Amino acid sequence: QVYSTASDPDGRCVCTVVAPARNLCKRDPRIRQLRSLTEQVQNVSQSMEVVDLRTSRDLQYVQDSEPLLRGVDGRLHTYVSNPRALTSKGLQELKGQMSQLRPLFTVVEQYRLDLQTLGTLRMELLNLSIILTAIQEEIGAYDYEELQQRVLLLETRLHSCMNKLGCGRLTAVSNPITVRASGSRFGSWMTDAMIPSSDSRVWSMDGYYKGRRVLEYRTMGDFTKGQNFVQHLLPHPWAGTGHVVYNGSLYYNKHQSNILVQYSFHSRSVLLQRSLSGAGYNNTFPYSWGGSSDIDLMVDEIGLWAVYTSIPNAGNIMVSRLDPRSLDVLQSWDTGFPKRSAGEAFMICGTLYVTNSHLAGAKVHFAYHTNTSTYEYTDIPFHNQYSHISMMDYNPRERALYTWNNGHQVLYNVTLFHVIRSDG
């Protein structure tokens, strides 16, 4: 979380905020390190249990063999002091007792191996102690759970601050944060852009063609691990990757049509279907990467949007604000930017931002402001780590960009420029 303030030439206060992704602490590399340490401790513990069980069993065997050993020892002392006492019958009995004691060789050998194992475990525990000491020095005297609670409190305060700041203009995109590598080359993933921050469910939709399976994960941590999910099977297949979850519903483009569908996760049913009049579909006007990305649904601080184009618009990007309850078009803008030349696009605070490519070396290079119906060319680079982005959406609740990059689910934080006007 980075704050900076300055005054412009007119004396206005300028405030810059870098908004972090929600639950960024859970993706801290130290979490993975601690998880690895926990697994090592469990392995050492299991090894200790095996050695302990085997030692207890062997010790009992030695104790049970002690009378036999004493008997053999007495006979040997007798025969050494008086060789004439060794008879044929006594020799056979001695051989029989020695044969009963033969397993002791194996037990003693196992003891020797266990000593080596204990030496190895001792070194592992020493290494674990050194690593844990280093982590403790890095983290400090705080309990990690306490630290996490403090981070969550700070995030809540930060979001409250950002909500007061209102909308801003994009000035920078952070380095990528790879959350997970899963699925095929194309797909989409998202969190709800409107529901309270206490609901941290994550949805994943693999592929762009005729898909119907939506996976719902309980938390970002569960999504990262690929566990604790439920499946929704949509009644109508989707097209493209321009889906969005808004206020508990999934909004998506129905396969081989310009029909928009609202699907409720709560009722597991379709609430609404409506045609986006004139919008191209079925790879008529996709982004440069193709993938039936003709209609791209988005959400920002203002509401629900559709980005698409039509033949009357000569393939230029259209931006329409939609009513989420009826999917009626409230207002539309012609940006003049050819959609097939765009890599991907996203909305922030009523401004459409367009990337110049879906491949490596991409940057945000065009912005259309719906509040003034004006556009500008920008030069905002970002690291396209896996070189093929097929989905890029902004989440206003988290102030972060969600991307699907060549089978990797990646987050970017954004820097927004805010001008705060004050009396006096």
Side-chain angles (χ1 to χ4, degrees):
Q1 299 135 18
V2 181
Y3 302 85
S4 68
T5 56
S7 296
D8 67 8
D10 298 326
R12 293 177 301 189
C13 175
V14 178
C15 175
T16 302
V17 176
V18 176
R22 287 290 296 173
N23 300 325
L24 187 62
C25 191
K26 294 181 181 178
R27 296 189 290 275
D28 193 314
R30 285 173 296 189
I31 282 286
R32 293 191 291 271
Q33 192 176 18
L34 285 171
R35 189 178 300 120
S36 174
L37 287 173
T38 301
E39 291 173 357
Q40 291 180 51
V41 169
Q42 289 173 346
N43 291 337
V44 170
S45 176
Q46 290 170 2
S47 299
M48 295 281 280
E49 287 178 9
V50 170
V51 172
D52 181 57
L53 179 63
R54 191 165 54 229
T55 303
S56 301
R57 182 193 63 202
D58 293 345
L59 181 60
Q60 185 63 47
Y61 180 79
V62 171
Q63 289 173 343
D64 292 342
S65 302
E66 187 177 358
L68 189 59
L69 274 168
R70 290 186 184 277
V72 170
D73 184 58
R75 279 177 177 272
L76 288 173
H77 274 89
T78 300
Y79 297 147
V80 168
S81 59
N82 184 13
R84 291 173 181 245
L86 181 60
T87 63
S88 177
K89 181 182 178 182
L91 182 61
Q92 290 300 322
E93 289 177 354
L94 183 60
K95 285 183 176 179
Q97 290 175 325
M98 290 299 292
S99 119
Q100 292 179 50
L101 291 173
R102 191 167 290 116
L104 278 175
F105 288 106
T106 305
V107 172
V108 172
E109 178 64 20
Q110 187 62 59
Y111 266 122
R112 189 179 67 81
L113 294 175
D114 285 346
L115 282 174
Q116 294 177 357
T117 301
L118 287 170
T120 302
L121 293 177
R122 188 181 296 110
M123 289 303 299
E124 286 191 30
L125 287 171
L126 179 62
N127 291 335
L128 287 172
S129 298
I130 293 171
I131 296 172
L132 286 170
T133 301
I135 292 177
Q136 185 177 12
E137 290 177 354
E138 182 181 356
I139 294 179
Y142 294 107
D143 176 78
Y144 195 82
E145 291 295 327
E146 180 189 348
L147 275 178
Q148 194 171 27
Q149 291 303 315
R150 291 182 63 184
V151 168
L152 291 174
L153 176 62
L154 285 171
E155 284 186 347
T156 302
R157 291 174 59 190
L158 177 64
H159 277 265
S160 175
C161 172
M162 289 192 296
N163 289 336
K164 291 177 182 177
L165 287 175
C167 278
R169 178 169 54 85
L170 180 69
T171 58
V173 178
S174 76
N175 287 327
I177 303 166
T178 301
V179 176
R180 187 183 176 195
S182 67
S184 63
R185 192 178 187 186
F186 315 98
S188 60
W189 71 295
M190 64 218 78
T191 57
D192 197 313
M194 181 178 178
I195 57 176
S197 57
S198 58
D199 188 333
S200 56
R201 288 178 293 171
V202 179
W203 289 268
S204 175
M205 301 167 69
D206 189 14
Y208 69 86
Y209 182 74
K210 296 178 69 174
R212 294 178 60 199
R213 193 171 74 123
V214 183
L215 300 184
E216 176 186 301
Y217 295 85
R218 187 181 57 181
T219 64
M220 182 68 76
D222 289 337
F223 173 72
T224 303
K225 299 172 187 174
Q227 64 184 25
N228 295 330
F229 63 86
V230 295
Q231 176 177 288
H232 298 268
L233 196 62
L234 301 177
H236 309 296
W238 71 68
T241 59
H243 330 298
V244 69
V245 176
Y246 183 64
N247 197 24
S249 290
L250 171 70
Y251 293 84
Y252 70 96
N253 175 207
K254 188 176 179 180
H255 175 62
Q256 287 190 330
S257 74
N258 58 11
I259 294 174
L260 307 181
V261 179
Q262 180 188 6
Y263 173 86
S264 168
F265 288 118
H266 178 70
S267 65
R268 290 177 173 263
S269 63
V270 170
L271 301 183
L272 188 63
Q273 295 187 67
R274 184 175 294 276
S275 173
L276 187 59
S277 181
Y281 62 91
N282 201 27
N283 268 334
T284 305
F285 297 111
Y287 290 126
S288 60
W289 65 271
S292 300
S293 56
D294 304 76
I295 299 175
D296 193 357
L297 297 172
M298 307 174 183
V299 170
D300 68 355
E301 291 81 354
I302 295 174
L304 179 65
W305 303 83
V307 171
Y308 60 100
T309 189
S310 63
I311 292 175
N313 289 100
N316 291 332
I317 291 178
M318 288 287 297
V319 179
S320 293
R321 189 179 170 202
L322 306 178
D323 183 339
R325 293 164 296 185
S326 64
L327 291 177
D328 288 337
V329 174
L330 302 177
Q331 192 174 354
S332 295
W333 293 262
D334 185 345
T335 66
F337 191 93
K339 191 165 186 292
R340 284 185 174 273
S341 298
E344 264 291 342
F346 53 90
M347 296 287 297
I348 298 180
C349 297
T351 295
L352 177 73
Y353 293 94
V354 181
T355 68
N356 62 343
S357 173
H358 61 285
L359 303 172
K363 60 177 65 177
V364 181
H365 83 135
F366 179 83
Y368 186 88
H369 309 287
T370 59
N371 61 335
T372 58
S373 299
T374 59
Y375 69 88
E376 62 177 316
Y377 288 94
T378 60
D379 186 15
I380 304 174
F382 63 93
H383 181 38
N384 187 346
Q385 187 167 359
Y386 304 104
S387 304
H388 196 288
I389 291 177
S390 59
M391 167 259 178
M392 193 171 201
D393 267 337
Y394 172 71
N395 186 305
R397 188 184 73 168
E398 301 179 357
R399 304 254 171 137
L401 292 173
Y402 282 64
T403 69
W404 190 289
N405 194 339
N406 216 350
H408 297 78
Q409 292 73 54
V410 181
L411 286 174
Y412 293 89
N413 298 322
V414 297
T415 302
L416 301 180
F417 177 86
H418 300 271
V419 175
I420 303 174
R421 302 182 184 278
S422 61
D423 297 331

